[in-house]
Amino acid sequence: MKQLLLFLAFAFPFRSLAQCINFNETFPVNDRVSNQHREYQFQSPGNLNLEPEKYLIDKDTFFTLGFTKGFWFGGFDPSGNLALTATGYQDSDLGMGPIYNSSGLDDIELCRFFNKEWQIRKIEVESLRAAFSSNSLTVDIIPQDILEWPALGNPWIGEFAPQYDMAPFYDLNLDGIYNPLDGDYPIALIENPEFIPYLFTFSVNNDNVPHSESESTTITIENHLLSYLVNCEEEQESNHTIFTRLKTIYKGLYDMKNFKISLWQDFDLGCIDDDLVGSDPPLNAVFTYNEFGQDNQDCFFPGTIVPEEGAAVYSSILLNNDIQSFMSYDNGAFTTFIQGIDPSSPLEYYNYMTAQWRDGTKLTTGGNGYNPNSINTTQFAYPNLPNDPSGWSMQSANISFGDRRTVTTLFSQDIQPGEIIVLDMAEHVFYTEEVNDLSVFDSWPAAIQKLKEEYNKQINGNYDCQDFMTSTSKKLINLSTLKIYPNPSSDFVTIEFDQLHKGTLFVYNSEMKLIKSELIKGADKIKLATQDFTQGIYYLTVVNNEGKIAREKFIKI
């Protein structure tokens, strides 16, 4: 069942201007985040990542995924003029922060406040709920990203508090205002406040900035981007997945015709020199795989390869709508086919979003999809699975080497001022060592279907995931022993505990901002390097696989 959220809202100051046009401060890069199988890092406005992710087979073995991905937006005003917003490798048509009415605001401080990614961990939410239930919640123990969550009316962020729905939250006392001291807390999915992922992130961007990537005019959109991981003890497809919710608010003045939202990806899987791509429209999925199902073990290019004994499929799935089209083009340095290289004008971007090549030729079936003399047009390149020799895939078409980019259109519709579009996506890795050839696609569709079922349970409220945290109905129990030495310290501290077979260590500074986290597996002590920490007081939280918690502090000198 499709659950695309699409509605109108009229509370926005449409004539507002973005504050961050000339804001040039560097985006602060957070630590990489991970669960058992996925590791990634958010790095810039509108881009989901700008360096390879990792797929973790086990604690010692991994292979790299992708290089970058982001979103493209485009449509026509009532006069037929194209407006387009895109992200690329170095440039982006998106800047951090919302589109606010700037009267009375300190624009530089506003930009600085929103020039970040908020990170929330389940352990932090559980700790806040437990403290509130026991009447021991005070502002000084609330992590900074929870205290400063950019949610409706948050009194702790003053004039930067949005006056409309921005970051989602559970409103315990139903007063319509986010305040963690009232027992409110951040959530990932408004449909199911009881679903608290292992980790989720949130950021805001808008396109009311110079368009250095597409060189087009602005659309006037604001995007709220939330991604999350689960970390279930039992095996689930969700463990192999990064979920993302994109909420786009159109704050322009005029209707937009043929407005489209597309996911753009540099879709690498291990070694890039044997990557092929394809689509499965009935599953609303697109994917990359290695030629013949096995990665090149003598890779010339950077990247960690998929092990020889295994096979992998790296997919993006649209969960609450039908994909509208899928195109693939190449890095111009690796091909002489000039109609299928990086776009160089706003119209060329939009053509790719509408299953057309750079010159406007429609995508056709067979071969590489470019045949101006054919009437067999299609919206989807390579729509058959590679294990079907009679179908149209890159494998069956013998497509030569290329550095692939893909454009998957997720939404296509006329929109009005104030319209809000919510799209849910999953980035999934299917890895197996039972086969190491194209028969990996025999099992892949069932894995994607199972992932969709798990997503629907997350939305509907019957998702079963026992991670190393306790459920929300249980109280957090202190570990009996936690020792830190030397304390004070200058270069490192040793953290010693009893029978902590598996868990996570969190380090907060004196402002309760998380500065470091790491997994602990089967250790009774760990050494934490502190030479790069500034002088001051730091707080440690250690959580084991039974949900037991220990907290201590140390001083860096």
Side-chain angles (χ1 to χ4, degrees), residues 380-427:
F380 299 96
Y382 315 111
N384 301 116
L385 296 184
N387 57 344
D388 177 6
S390 63
W392 180 34
S393 67
M394 271 195 169
Q395 182 74 53
S396 65
N398 295 314
I399 302 299
S400 61
F401 164 76
D403 183 12
R404 318 291 181 200
R405 294 94 158 89
T406 63
V407 181
T408 307
T409 296
L410 312 172
F411 176 87
S412 180
Q413 188 173 310
D414 297 346
I415 60 171
Q416 303 173 35
E419 201 148 322
I420 300 174
I421 305 154
V422 179
L423 297 168
D424 288 347
M425 293 150 277
E427 183 192 278

Side-chain angles (χ1 to χ4, degrees), residues 19-52:
Q19 284 79 20
C20 302
I21 293 176
N22 298 312
F23 182 73
N24 296 315
E25 292 186 13
T26 302
F27 181 82
V29 177
N30 286 326
D31 291 338
R32 296 175 73 91
V33 297
S34 64
N35 63 4
Q36 301 170 56
H37 293 294
R38 301 302 302 273
E39 180 181 304
Y40 74 104
Q41 187 174 50
F42 177 89
Q43 287 195 305
S44 73
N47 281 68
L48 297 176
N49 69 299
L50 269 175
E51 64 175 43

Side-chain angles (χ1 to χ4, degrees), residues 171-465:
D171 187 7
L172 182 64
N173 62 2
L174 301 178
D175 66 349
I177 300 297
Y178 174 78
N179 187 344
L181 280 183
D182 290 339
D184 303 338
Y185 54 85
I187 59 174
L189 302 175
I190 59 173
E191 301 92 332
N192 181 15
E194 284 298 313
F195 169 66
I196 308 297
Y198 171 69
L199 180 144
F200 55 107
T201 63
F202 182 82
S203 64
V204 183
N205 62 66
N206 73 87
D207 82 325
N208 247 8
V209 296
H211 281 199
S212 56
E213 171 66 23
S214 69
E215 299 183 352
S216 178
T217 55
T218 62
I219 302 172
T220 317
I221 52 174
E222 178 178 309
N223 297 311
H224 304 168
L225 193 62
L226 189 147
S227 295
Y228 65 89
L229 297 172
V230 302
N231 197 27
C232 308
E233 285 290 337
E234 65 274 19
E235 181 59 30
Q236 294 195 10
E237 294 305 325
S238 295
N239 286 342
H240 306 265
T241 305
I242 300 170
F243 295 91
T244 295
R245 170 166 286 188
L246 172 68
K247 177 181 176 181
T248 297
I249 307 171
Y250 175 47
K251 294 190 173 183
L253 295 171
Y254 310 105
D255 291 356
M256 291 286 288
K257 301 296 183 183
N258 297 316
F259 179 75
K260 300 181 186 295
I261 302 175
S262 299
L263 175 65
W264 168 76
Q265 294 174 280
D266 186 334
F267 224 166
D268 300 339
L269 175 59
C271 182
I272 71 168
D273 66 11
D274 61 354
D275 288 344
L276 305 179
V277 299
S279 64
D280 189 325
L283 281 179
N284 289 304
V286 300
F287 53 83
T288 189
Y289 58 101
N290 301 125
E291 188 176 20
F292 303 111
Q294 189 175 84
D295 208 0
N296 180 5
Q297 302 298 300
D298 299 313
C299 187
F300 174 76
F301 294 93
T304 303
I305 59 177
V306 179
E308 184 176 12
E309 63 271 19
V313 184
Y314 178 27
S315 312
S316 290
I317 306 100
L318 183 57
L319 297 167
N320 67 336
N321 198 27
D322 293 326
I323 58 175
Q324 307 296 302
S325 64
F326 173 73
M327 285 287 286
S328 170
Y329 66 92
D330 285 331
N331 181 341
F334 297 96
T335 182
T336 58
F337 174 45
I338 63 171
Q339 299 306 333
I341 60 174
D342 293 307
S344 59
S345 71
L347 183 59
E348 290 180 3
Y349 283 90
Y350 192 78
N351 282 345
Y352 279 138
M353 299 169 72
T354 57
Q356 298 181 73
W357 298 98
R358 291 177 66 214
D359 62 358
T361 299
K362 293 182 178 179
L363 177 69
T364 55
T365 59
N368 70 352
Y370 184 82
N371 185 350
N373 298 317
S374 174
I375 61 172
N376 297 319
T377 61
T378 180
Q379 291 295 107
F380 299 96
Y382 315 111
N384 301 116
L385 296 184
N387 57 344
D388 177 6
S390 63
W392 180 34
S393 67
M394 271 195 169
Q395 182 74 53
S396 65
N398 295 314
I399 302 299
S400 61
F401 164 76
D403 183 12
R404 318 291 181 200
R405 294 94 158 89
T406 63
V407 181
T408 307
T409 296
L410 312 172
F411 176 87
S412 180
Q413 188 173 310
D414 297 346
I415 60 171
Q416 303 173 35
E419 201 148 322
I420 300 174
I421 305 154
V422 179
L423 297 168
D424 288 347
M425 293 150 277
E427 183 192 278
H428 175 267
V429 177
F430 180 69
Y431 175 75
T432 179
E433 294 184 353
E434 294 182 2
V435 299
N436 62 352
D437 54 29
L438 291 175
S439 62
V440 65
F441 281 96
D442 294 345
S443 304
W444 174 80
I448 299 305
Q449 192 58 50
K450 185 173 184 293
L451 173 66
K452 290 183 171 186
E453 293 170 359
E454 292 170 10
Y455 159 78
N456 286 330
K457 291 178 180 179
Q458 293 170 8
I459 293 287
N460 296 329
N462 56 351
Y463 180 62
D464 184 19
C465 173

